Amino acid sequence: MKSPRRGQLALALIPECPLRTLTFPAPVPAARARSNGARRFHPEDSAYARWREEAAIAIRRQWVAAPLVGPVELKVVFILARPETRPTWCPKDVWASGARFRHAPGCGPDVDNFLKAVMDALQMPRELRTVKGADFGWPLRDDGAVAVSAQEKWIASSTEAARTVVGIRAVGWTEVFLGR
């Protein structure tokens, strides 16, 4: 690793705990929040709201601990359902192989909307944050703790199910300032 030049700020991640993996339902992009003038909310009958409920159940079954403390790193792989017919942007040989393949850049849905949905599902509901002991089973108290993230979008192989796979861990930050 190169050392920072004089006058530069170097940030180095220090792993404080191992990466934990969670798997939950196929992604649904975060819907735009609605407003009634007093507060913002997601309609309870939307596909996004139903996905959040399913994801929260799956997460709570897999996360049997208190939330991570401090900055958090997320690595997320979105495996989208394979379409019935070959997308025009997918090479014929890749489609015919039946293998998993990367989603084409520039084709929706946008990965940032999927990431927002995952971060919403991982965090403890706001109404429970003041209830003592209610945070057990939620990976995050607040999605603002996510300091580092990496995402990938894939199309499922012909033999696998669509799903979301999340790696999560607490990280520490070290700042080294050299020079003036």
Side-chain angles (χ1 to χ4, degrees):
M1 183 170 143
K2 286 176 104 176
S3 59
R5 285 194 211 142
R6 188 178 166 106
Q8 287 183 332
L9 182 67
L11 296 176
L13 284 176
I14 300 175
E16 294 177 352
C17 73
L19 193 68
R20 295 190 52 192
T21 305
L22 304 168
T23 303
F24 45 95
V28 172
R32 285 200 189 275
R34 307 289 184 249
S35 175
N36 64 7
R39 67 181 188 94
R40 294 174 56 90
F41 62 94
H42 293 283
E44 291 188 25
D45 62 344
S46 70
Y48 175 65
R50 287 189 300 276
W51 176 85
R52 274 190 65 182
E53 286 179 25
E54 290 175 25
I57 291 167
I59 290 165
R60 298 217 48 198
R61 283 185 185 143
Q62 297 171 68
W63 191 270
V64 288
L68 295 174
V69 177
V72 172
E73 176 184 18
L74 287 182
K75 292 184 179 179
V76 188
V77 178
F78 302 106
I79 302 173
L80 308 177
R82 189 178 186 90
E84 294 291 322
T85 59
R86 180 183 66 85
T88 55
W89 48 263
C90 178
K92 289 179 182 176
D93 59 330
V94 172
W95 182 259
S97 74
R100 182 188 308 157
F101 57 94
R102 286 194 185 276
H103 195 278
C107 293
D110 296 342
V111 74
D112 62 322
N113 291 331
F114 284 142
L115 180 62
K116 175 65 177 143
V118 166
M119 290 172 55
D120 285 348
L122 291 172
Q123 76 177 338
M124 157 184 219
R126 186 164 271 127
E127 59 272 11
L128 294 179
R129 291 184 191 167
T130 57
V131 178
K132 187 174 176 119
D135 59 354
F136 191 84
W138 297 100
L140 303 172
R141 280 187 64 76
D142 184 356
D143 62 3
V146 176
V148 181
S149 69
Q151 305 80 217
E152 296 182 38
K153 247 186 340 181
W154 291 81
I155 301 293
S157 75
S158 56
T159 60
E160 71 181 332
R163 63 193 180 282
T164 305
V165 181
V166 177
I168 185 170
R169 69 176 180 166
V171 294
W173 291 95
T174 301
E175 293 185 351
V176 179
F177 185 74
L178 302 175
R180 299 174 218 184

